[in-house]
Amino acid sequence: MEKIRMTTPLVEMDGDEMTRILWKDIKDLLICPFVDLKTEYYDLGLPHRDETNDQVTVDSANATKKYGVAVKCATITPNAQRMTEYNLHEMWKSPNGTIRAMLDGTVFRAPILVSGVKPTVRTWQQPITIARHAYGDVYRNVEIDVPGAGKAELVFTGEDGQEIRQTVFQFKGPGILQGVHNLDASIASFAHSCFQYALSIKQDLWFSTKDTISKTYDHTFKDIFQEIYDTTYKAQFEAAGIEYFYTLIDDAVARVVRSKGGFIWACKNYDGDVMSDMIATAFGSLAMMTSVLVSPDGKFEYEAAHGTVTRHYYRYLKGEETSTNPVATIFAWSGALRKRGELDELPELMAFADKLEKATIDTIEAGVMTKDLALLWEGSECTAVNSRAFLEAIAQRLAA
Ligand code: NAP
Ligand code: MG
């Protein structure tokens, strides 16, 4: 059989623990037999990050800027315990954080649906994708534990000496105080990433904040989105037959629950944090969540939303059988291959990505799945298998 051709390499970011094992199996069983795979390989496994003083993470982000599409395996973000476990020189920063900062990107998370694992919300028929702004607000706050009576003020001192001053509150007794900020540039990047991604997957984009209460702060988010939409994306959205709209977050929540799904919901940092956990849980399983980082200039990095599944890896090292779910990692590969195919005008590569996803879903819907899904299964009989057997079952379907 002739393999499917690629022209530009994918940026391949290998990772750690159980997902590193799955990574190799996915390539060996599901990709390389069918695709003449071209990648530029970066080993983001913790030992190699340590050897290179984390330079490999920076190099992989630069390669993503150059080529435009990356696929990433889950990686360990070191903590004190990992320092000893891996004998590290330094407590390296989260690779995802480094890559996100270098690409100035926004993360979009979407569940993979299979019939047999029903969403808690009965009306949901298609995935809901959450876009979370990943800068500022309460995550970069300053707080004061107010000891007693006194005046709290908000003061801005410009570099030109200009001063803006407002009274926050005249305290008569103890209380609490918080200051938060955001940046026009960061909000604009967030908006561009959202519009780009909506166009890329041809789905409506919803954006919600609390602008009726926060008449300057949240209202600025609303205004920046609207201005960028009107000046840069309106015509493209109309041509693609998709819609952008802004609505108050209370209204958005009600509409989301009544919806059929199949759209992107952009949220401020805190709202996105909370709503993405709600959406993920209501759709079923963390092992079935995909994640894609999109930069404002349209570079894409695909990955699974879960981590390296450490508990399973320790069992694997002891020689025990593991049933770790590879679906989100498979979809990271299919997402990246499809995007590469789209950019390089390779319809066969795009079709392969569709077939790989279909073979994966069909395998599960035929009743063959990993243990985590078997626990959620509401369909007729199912067989829980180990990761390798699950991948082999998908490979068989794909070959057929
Ligand atoms: P995790 O790897 O997502 O796993 C947490 C638990 O969720 C697992 O123990 C497992 O539950 C279940 N689970 C997650 N993915 C699964 C899958 N594919 N198949 C079956 N079960 C799955 O999170 P963690 O244990 O908190 O973190 C482990 C490491 O991953 C950490 O070092 C962290 O830094 C890193 N991490 C990386 C990323 C990333 O690279 N994007 C994201 C998050 C965490 P049971 O054990 O009950 O079966
Ligand atoms: Mg959270």
Side-chain angles (χ1 to χ4, degrees):
M1 192 183 73
E2 205 174 314
K3 290 191 186 180
I4 296 161
R5 191 174 58 94
M6 288 182 68
T7 46
T8 317
L10 275 181
V11 178
E12 176 183 353
M13 304 170 174
D14 207 346
D16 289 297
E17 299 194 312
M18 206 59 226
T19 40
R20 188 180 180 98
I21 310 290
L22 294 176
W23 193 259
K24 184 172 182 305
D25 286 347
I26 291 169
K27 281 172 66 180
D28 289 350
L29 292 167
L30 300 181
I31 311 216
C32 293
F34 308 98
V35 178
D36 188 17
L37 184 65
K38 274 194 169 74
T39 72
E40 197 166 290
Y41 180 85
Y42 293 86
D43 183 1
L44 266 55
L46 187 51
H48 192 241
R49 270 183 277 152
D50 195 49
E51 273 161 36
T52 62
N53 291 326
D54 209 23
Q55 184 60 37
V56 65
T57 307
V58 174
D59 292 346
S60 73
N62 280 325
T64 308
K65 286 187 180 173
K66 175 175 165 194
Y67 292 113
V69 188
V71 56
K72 180 179 171 291
C73 180
T75 46
I76 293 169
T77 298
N79 55 16
Q81 182 256 321
R82 299 293 197 172
M83 294 285 290
T84 351
E85 184 183 356
Y86 284 86
N87 195 16
L88 302 178
H89 295 105
E90 220 175 280
M91 203 185 290
W92 306 110
K93 282 191 274 187
S94 148
N96 287 48
T98 303
I99 297 165
R100 193 167 62 213
M102 284 182 65
L103 293 177
D104 189 18
T106 297
V107 173
F108 297 81
R109 285 190 160 192
I112 301 154
L113 303 195
V114 288
S115 64
V117 180
K118 294 202 176 66
T120 313
V121 178
R122 274 173 300 159
T123 49
W124 290 353
Q125 292 165 10
Q126 281 181 281
I128 295 168
T129 302
I130 293 271
R132 174 184 169 188
H133 184 213
Y135 181 82
D137 301 352
V138 71
Y139 303 86
R140 293 262 185 134
N141 65 2
V142 283
E143 300 184 316
I144 296 176
D145 192 350
V146 176
K151 182 157 98 169
E153 286 181 293
L154 197 58
V155 184
F156 169 81
T157 315
E159 278 184 353
D160 61 359
Q162 179 208 23
E163 193 178 275
I164 308 172
R165 184 180 289 267
Q166 277 203 44
T167 302
V168 177
F169 194 66
Q170 189 75 50
F171 283 90
K172 297 202 168 58
I176 41 181
L177 189 61
Q178 167 170 260
V180 295
H181 78 279
N182 222 300
L183 308 171
D184 286 4
S186 175
I187 300 165
S189 289
F190 175 48
H192 280 291
S193 294
C194 289
F195 291 127
Q196 293 265 356
Y197 192 60
L199 284 169
S200 134
I201 64 169
K202 297 207 167 40
Q203 285 190 353
D204 291 348
L205 176 67
W206 304 16
F207 181 43
S208 59
T209 72
K210 192 73 181 174
D211 68 294
T212 46
I213 299 297
S214 173
K215 290 190 168 62
T216 302
Y217 197 101
D218 279 20
H219 212 287
T220 299
F221 279 80
K222 176 182 175 180
D223 290 345
I224 290 177
F225 264 69
Q226 195 62 49
E227 197 200 321
I228 290 176
Y229 177 71
D230 290 340
T231 54
T232 314
Y233 295 100
K234 196 165 190 282
Q236 293 175 69
F237 267 56
E238 282 167 7
I242 56 173
E243 196 188 356
Y244 164 68
F245 70 87
Y246 173 87
T247 187
L248 195 62
I249 186 145
D250 322 34
D251 178 53
V253 169
R255 283 205 208 189
V256 164
V257 172
R258 284 197 309 262
S259 77
K260 293 194 171 122
F263 56 88
I264 303 162
W265 182 13
C267 293
K268 285 177 61 199
N269 210 349
Y270 173 81
D271 300 338
D273 185 353
V274 177
M275 293 306 165
S276 67
D277 281 353
M278 192 272 285
I279 295 278
T281 311
F283 269 110
S285 160
L286 183 59
M288 299 290 279
M289 283 294 274
T290 59
S291 181
V292 52
L293 176 76
V294 182
S295 74
D297 56 347
K299 314 285 187 220
F300 295 76
E301 182 236 285
Y302 294 82
E303 65 175 325
H306 60 77
T308 58
V309 211
T310 311
R311 285 214 292 267
H312 294 210
Y313 182 60
Y314 292 159
R315 291 208 294 270
Y316 168 88
L317 289 181
K318 283 195 253 162
E320 290 170 30
E321 198 173 83
T322 50
S323 183
T324 314
N325 188 337
V327 171
T329 308
I330 296 172
F331 274 63
W333 275 98
S334 58
L337 290 170
R338 182 184 296 107
K339 178 54 74 181
R340 199 62 274 169
E342 191 186 309
L343 295 175
D344 296 347
E345 294 176 19
L346 300 170
E348 284 191 9
L349 193 59
M350 293 169 72
F352 172 76
D354 293 343
K355 284 179 195 155
L356 175 57
E357 291 180 359
K358 185 168 185 320
T360 306
I361 303 281
D362 287 352
T363 301
I364 299 170
E365 293 183 345
V368 179
M369 64 198 75
T370 47
K371 268 187 195 155
D372 57 308
L373 284 184
L375 289 172
L376 302 169
W377 191 249
E378 295 180 48
S380 50
E381 280 153 65
C382 72
T383 323
V385 295
N386 64 36
S387 308
R388 181 84 193 184
F390 178 61
L391 291 172
E392 279 164 358
I394 299 171
Q396 256 175 28
R397 244 170 222 279
L398 195 54

